[in-house]
Amino acid sequence: MQRTLTIFLMCVPAVQAADWPQWLGPRRDGSTSERVAPWKEAPKVLWRTPVGNGFSSPLVAGGKVFLHAQVPGKEEEEVIAFDAADGKVLWRESYPRPEFKSVLGVGPRATPTVAGKRLYTMGINGILSCFDVQDGKRHWQLDLYKQFQADLPTFAVCCSPLVVGNRVIVSVGGKGSCVVALNAETGAVLWQALDDAPSTSSPVLYAGGERTVGRSIDVVFMTPLRLIALDPLDGSIRWEHPMVFQPQGTSPTPVAAGGVLVASTQAHGALAVKIGYKGAAYHAETGWQNKDMKSYFSSGVASGDRLFLVTNQIDILPSASLSCLDAKTGQLLWAKKNVGYFHAGIIRTGDGKLLVLGDSGTLSLFEVDDKGAKELSRSRVSGGTLVSPALANGRLYVRDDKELICLQLGADPSSGQD
């Protein structure tokens, strides 16, 4: 019991309730306790500022907004800390990187993580850095792909760091280094595991399924070969489920819903994995599979037994739909078509509504149930964007290819924000 308690405490960094400190928010699942009231006029722009190239989402922690970007015109990346109140730059720190070229942009793709007094960033070439959140002092930095002699993923490095207690856990790739855990204070390698190729999907913590005392939570990665859970303490394998042949990449983050863990890719559609325990070992089995529910690179969210995925048609005329599935059976309940072309960022609010930012820069607020989605509000808030937004303290932070924009979203007056 003591080891179970220790793992739970170390796996959940302390953050303020209203912060958005990592990829997909405070619980890394696209949800927030904040409630957003419908708006009649376009949300007010509180501030906006030019930023460099990148698909990294903004973060909000301790009254600051953090952004990772390319330094315009240079083979450098920078981290910028803004005052959340007015957008004033509090500090910015840059560092050189190896040359990188791509028709899809040359800025960072992975979203940083704030844990306590430290900020962890992963650059497009796989340079992992640790900064002080107060003044930007760099504590340590590693070129992971050079250190582990690994090949960059086809779409560059997209894996957002996961902080688990005193460990920073990321995907690298290659023999013995598909997943690597580093000391959060020093950057020293604590363990490394698996021979799988690099993954562009970000890891999550998962505590569902049957559990035994002392094994309460897993770190789950989706590699090009499998969905696999590791012990955060030592990297040993807890369970795995095959997901082979994924030529389109593995970008969407797995979602916990209805007692299963769901991964959705272009190769497999939506696949639910159920975790059990037999004898002295965990095992994973298919709960259900819906091959038509194919996600390209947008991550979904859950609300009770409802699972919301951004599903894609990418041939001929690309389009993205907001699809609602029964998480227990995989049955499609309804689909809201054309919420984007390739991408839409989704946030589930504290009262079960959905904020959806399409890649045209259009923001919608939906009321959803088992029968469909009712659009309550809709406004164009930015230029085209493939970046998921961040919501904190009634403000939405949106990044397009030119600016970081802070929007005022009024809280629902009928409820408190916990």
Side-chain angles (χ1 to χ4, degrees):
M1 178 62 73
Q2 181 61 39
R3 186 172 184 271
T4 301
L5 177 60
T6 300
I7 293 176
F8 266 118
L9 291 176
M10 66 174 284
C11 284
V12 185
V15 296
Q16 297 181 22
D19 283 349
W20 193 274
Q22 62 179 331
W23 170 238
L24 298 180
R27 288 177 286 274
R28 210 174 174 93
D29 62 359
S31 73
T32 176
S33 60
E34 296 195 29
R35 304 186 180 191
V36 177
W39 59 88
K40 295 182 179 179
E41 299 181 354
K44 180 180 179 181
V45 176
L46 298 180
W47 53 264
R48 63 200 315 155
T49 185
V51 295
N53 186 264
F55 296 141
S56 175
S57 292
L59 301 181
V60 186
K64 298 181 179 66
V65 181
F66 301 96
L67 196 75
H68 198 196
Q70 179 209 16
V71 178
K74 296 182 179 181
E75 287 296 344
E76 297 181 7
E77 293 173 344
E78 65 177 351
V79 181
I80 313 170
F82 303 92
D83 188 318
D86 57 16
K88 178 182 177 182
V89 174
L90 300 176
W91 57 259
R92 68 196 311 158
E93 289 294 325
S94 64
Y95 59 88
R97 68 176 194 193
E99 182 180 10
F100 185 86
K101 296 180 180 180
S102 172
V103 296
L104 299 175
V106 294
R109 280 122 157 84
T111 295
T113 298
V114 170
K117 298 180 180 180
R118 301 291 178 93
L119 170 72
Y120 302 91
T121 66
M122 179 77 98
I124 199 168
N125 304 84
I127 294 178
L128 181 66
S129 307
C130 173
F131 298 91
D132 190 287
V133 298
Q134 294 301 321
D135 58 15
K137 177 184 177 182
R138 193 170 71 208
H139 292 286
W140 53 263
Q141 186 175 76
L142 299 171
D143 187 335
L144 293 178
Y145 283 76
K146 181 178 180 180
Q147 179 172 335
F148 290 101
Q149 299 181 344
D151 295 327
L152 288 175
T154 302
F155 297 105
V157 178
C158 303
C159 176
S160 301
L162 173 64
V163 177
V164 186
N166 70 336
R167 290 154 167 75
V168 182
I169 305 178
V170 295
S171 175
V172 179
K175 188 172 179 59
S177 59
C178 176
V179 179
V180 177
L182 305 111
N183 185 293
E185 293 294 319
T186 67
V189 176
L190 297 177
W191 55 259
Q192 56 192 86
L194 311 180
D195 298 332
D196 300 26
S199 172
T200 51
S201 177
S202 295
V204 292
L205 293 174
Y206 184 62
E210 298 178 9
R211 295 282 155 176
T212 62
V213 173
R215 293 189 174 184
S216 55
I217 199 159
D218 306 322
V219 176
V220 179
F221 278 82
M222 182 164 56
T223 81
L225 296 177
R226 50 189 165 172
L227 196 66
I228 188 163
L230 305 175
D231 187 322
L233 294 177
D234 59 15
S236 59
I237 297 175
R238 290 272 180 78
W239 54 263
E240 60 182 303
H241 192 286
M243 292 189 70
V244 297
F245 188 62
Q246 300 188 80
Q248 300 294 335
T250 58
S251 288
T253 301
V255 185
V260 294
L261 189 65
V262 181
S264 179
T265 71
Q266 282 292 299
H268 296 272
L271 175 69
V273 176
K274 186 176 181 180
I275 311 306
Y277 189 79
K278 290 183 179 179
Y282 286 99
H283 68 96
E285 60 185 32
T286 301
W288 51 260
Q289 184 174 13
N290 189 327
K291 295 182 179 180
D292 294 327
M293 297 293 100
K294 298 181 177 182
S295 297
Y296 194 25
F297 61 91
S298 303
S299 298
V301 300
S303 182
D305 289 335
R306 288 195 294 268
L307 173 66
F308 301 96
L309 299 176
V310 178
T311 56
N312 297 82
Q313 171 187 307
I314 61 175
D315 297 326
I316 307 176
L317 293 176
S319 65
S321 299
L322 176 63
S323 298
C324 177
L325 284 70
D326 184 326
K328 291 187 176 297
T329 66
Q331 177 187 357
L332 176 66
L333 301 178
W334 52 262
K336 180 75 173 180
K337 295 185 177 181
N338 300 318
V339 296
Y341 296 100
F342 292 101
H343 178 268
I346 311 175
I347 296 175
R348 178 178 61 79
T349 66
D351 56 352
K353 296 185 180 71
L354 297 182
L355 269 175
V356 180
L357 179 65
D359 48 19
S360 65
T362 299
L363 179 70
S364 298
L365 179 66
F366 290 103
E367 187 173 67
V368 293
D369 56 24
D370 289 343
K371 296 181 179 179
K374 178 182 179 182
E375 189 173 60
L376 304 177
S377 301
R378 177 185 177 91
S379 297
R380 179 77 178 272
V381 297
S382 72
T385 179
L386 297 176
V387 180
S388 295
L391 177 64
N393 297 299
R395 297 181 174 193
L396 190 74
Y397 299 87
V398 177
R399 177 187 191 169
D400 61 22
D401 62 351
K402 295 179 180 179
E403 295 180 304
L404 174 64
I405 305 165
C406 175
L407 304 165
Q408 180 69 58
L409 292 183
D412 187 337
S414 67
S415 63
Q417 295 178 2
D418 52 308

